[in-house]
Amino acid sequence: MMHVIVLGATGSVGETTAQVLRQHRDRYQVEGLVARQNGRRLLELAAEFNPAWIGLTTEEAGAQLLPHQSHSDFKVLVGMPAILSAISDAPPSRVIGAMSGFAGLLPTLTAIDQGFDILLANKETMVAAGDLVRERAKRSGSRLIPVDSEHSAIFQCLALDQPFSRIVLTCSGGPFRGKTRADLEQVTVEAALKHPNWSMGPKITVDSATLMNKGLELIEAHQLFAADYDQLDVVIHPQSIIHSMVEFVDGATMAQLGWPDMRVPVQVALSWPERWPLSVAPMDWSGRQLTFESPDEETFPALSLARAVGKAGGLLPAVFNAANEVAVAGFLDSRIRFLGIMEVVEAVVQRFRDNGRVRDLEQILEADRWARKAADGLVNQS
C-alpha cells in the first residue's frame, strides 16, 4: 500500500491529484494533506481520504481547524514547523510537491531528507534551490519525478536513459500570443487569467501569460535532466497536444502527446514505473493540425532573462524567482500593470550583487528575503 502526502492539497494540482486518487483507492493510503489557508476545503478532503494528519501552513488560517481536532480521526497541525515534523515522522511515502511558489521548498527538502520520492509540481523549488535539492536527493536516494506536463513528457521520453542532443519545451503561448508590447499596455488581471488551454491557479496562469512559466521551466529542465542551456529550446505550440520533445544524438525525436489534462502527468508520477488505467477520451487525429512557431522574446523577455539567469547560476535563480512572485502578486492586487511584472524582475536581478556558489540553505533563504524586499519596494513605488 502506497503512502501519499499531498503538499498543496487544495490548489489546482492538489485537486487533480484527488481526482486520480479517487480512481485508485486500493493502491494507496493518504498520510497527510497540507494547504496554506483553505481550511474548509482541507477538511472536506480529509473527510473523504481519511489521512493520518492535515496541516495548514498559515497560523492565522489554522485557527479554523483547531475546533475539529477533538472529534476527528486525524491530527490537525498548524504552522510549518509542525508540518515538517509530521513529514519527518511519516512512513515511506510519495510526496506530491504542489505548493505554490518558494513556500514549497522547506517541506520538499524535509521529504527528500527522509528519502521519499518527490512528485514535483513546484518548479520554483528547482529554480531557487536546484543544486541543493539534487545534492540532498542523491545523498538520501530520493527520486525526483516531475509532474509539470512538459517535464513529465521529457521524463517519459528519457526513460530508457539514452544520450540526447536537445530538449524542446513546448509552450501554448498563453492568452496573449501574437500580441505586441503596445497591445499589452492595458492588460487587465481578468484577461491575464484566461488561459486558452489549461485551468490553473492564478500565479502560474499569470506566469503563462508573461511566458515566465516557460522561463522557470527552462531552469527546471536544466536541473532535472542535466541539460546544458544550449541544449534547451522553447517552441510555441498553441494546441498543447505535444507536451515536449527530446531529440537524441542520432537525430531521432521522441515526443509525448495527449490532451491538456493534468491528470495524466500526476498519475504517471504516482504510478511510475507502472502505468495505471485512466479514463481519458481517445484522441481523434483525423484532420487535427499541430502547429509551431518561435517565441517572441522581444515582447516576452522572460525567456531570454531566464536563460541568462540560469547560465549565471548561483543564487541568481532564487532572486529571479522571488522577484517574480512578488511582482505577480502586485499585478494580481492591481498595484502594478502587466508589463510592470518583468520590469520589476529585471530591475531586481540587475541590482543583485552577491551572486556566488550555493553552499547551504540559509544562503538561498537570505537571497530570497533580499529579493522580496527589493521587489516589494519597486512594486510600492509604481
Side-chain angles (χ1 to χ4, degrees):
M1 181 70 71
M2 179 193 305
H3 287 260
V4 176
I5 297 171
V6 185
L7 306 175
T10 62
S12 60
V13 174
E15 293 286 4
T16 301
T17 300
Q19 293 177 36
V20 172
L21 292 177
R22 286 185 189 105
Q23 296 192 39
H24 303 286
R25 292 182 181 274
D26 60 329
R27 300 177 185 267
Y28 69 89
Q29 169 63 50
V30 173
E31 174 67 18
L33 299 171
V34 177
R36 188 173 71 89
Q37 62 182 11
N38 193 344
R40 177 178 297 179
R41 180 58 182 149
L42 195 62
L43 287 170
E44 292 173 352
L45 290 169
E48 178 180 2
F49 290 104
N50 192 31
W53 52 268
I54 63 172
L56 281 180
T57 63
T58 308
E59 298 275 356
E60 296 80 5
Q64 63 187 294
L65 291 186
L66 293 178
H68 298 270
Q69 175 65 86
S70 59
H71 55 273
S72 299
D73 294 330
F74 46 81
K75 292 182 180 179
V76 174
L77 309 175
V78 177
M80 187 63 82
I83 291 167
L84 298 182
S85 179
I87 293 171
S88 296
D89 293 339
S93 304
R94 287 199 170 185
V95 177
I96 302 284
M99 292 181 68
S100 178
F102 188 77
L105 176 60
L106 288 179
T108 299
L109 285 175
T110 300
I112 286 173
D113 289 343
Q114 303 308 305
F116 298 165
D117 287 342
I118 307 299
L119 317 185
L120 195 62
N122 173 270
K123 61 180 63 64
E124 291 88 350
T125 288
M126 294 305 294
V127 171
D131 291 342
L132 191 65
V133 168
R134 289 189 295 105
E135 175 188 324
R136 290 198 183 185
K138 182 177 181 180
R139 186 187 311 153
S140 70
S142 173
R143 294 189 302 172
L144 303 175
I145 304 176
V147 170
D148 271 346
S149 61
E150 296 84 358
H151 298 89
S152 175
I154 297 163
F155 177 80
Q156 293 174 68
C157 290
L158 291 174
L160 296 178
D161 196 26
Q162 296 170 330
F164 64 89
S165 57
R166 188 167 64 128
I167 290 173
V168 181
L169 291 156
T170 54
C171 173
S172 72
F176 306 131
R177 180 175 65 91
K179 301 294 186 183
T180 66
R181 285 189 67 82
D183 295 328
L184 301 180
E185 285 288 351
Q186 305 301 322
V187 162
T188 65
V189 172
E190 182 182 20
L193 291 176
K194 289 183 178 178
H195 195 283
N197 298 339
W198 297 94
S199 176
M200 305 176 292
K203 194 268 182 182
I204 189 174
T205 305
V206 173
D207 281 348
S208 295
T210 61
L211 298 199
M212 174 61 79
N213 193 49
K214 209 54 52 178
L216 296 173
E217 287 177 2
L218 275 175
I219 299 174
E220 184 183 15
H222 163 74
Q223 292 287 1
L224 285 173
F225 307 115
D228 293 336
Y229 283 97
D230 292 341
Q231 295 176 294
L232 295 170
D233 284 341
V234 173
V235 63
I236 303 297
H237 170 52
Q239 296 81 20
S240 295
I241 297 298
I242 295 178
H243 297 295
S244 277
M245 299 175 278
V246 176
E247 183 179 299
F248 294 93
V249 292
D250 59 2
T253 297
M254 291 183 66
Q256 188 260 319
L257 289 73
W259 295 115
D261 183 341
M262 278 302 296
R263 292 179 303 159
V264 176
V266 167
Q267 182 164 295
V268 165
L270 276 170
S271 65
W272 193 263
E274 299 178 26
R275 283 191 181 266
W276 300 342
L278 184 65
S279 56
V280 177
M283 183 76 69
D284 180 5
W285 296 105
S286 60
R288 182 173 297 279
Q289 292 186 330
L290 303 179
T291 61
F292 307 92
E293 59 195 63
S294 298
D296 178 359
E297 296 192 23
E298 184 174 334
T299 301
F300 300 95
L303 283 175
S304 55
L305 182 59
R307 192 180 292 275
V309 164
K311 286 183 175 180
L315 295 168
L316 203 58
V319 169
F320 176 70
N321 175 72
N324 180 62
E325 287 191 21
V326 172
V328 169
F331 171 69
L332 288 170
D333 291 340
S334 300
R335 291 186 290 152
I336 60 173
R337 64 199 220 289
F338 180 76
L339 290 178
I341 296 172
M342 284 309 303
E343 292 170 359
V344 168
V345 175
E346 290 180 53
V348 173
V349 166
Q350 290 171 2
R351 290 183 184 183
F352 188 61
R353 294 288 183 268
D354 194 25
N355 199 30
R357 187 176 67 85
V358 176
R359 295 185 300 275
D360 54 43
L361 177 60
E362 185 52 44
Q363 273 187 304
I364 297 170
L365 296 176
E366 179 56 35
D368 177 83
R369 286 190 290 265
W370 177 90
R372 289 177 190 277
K373 183 177 180 180
D376 195 53
L378 290 170
V379 168
N380 290 332
Q381 289 173 15
S382 299

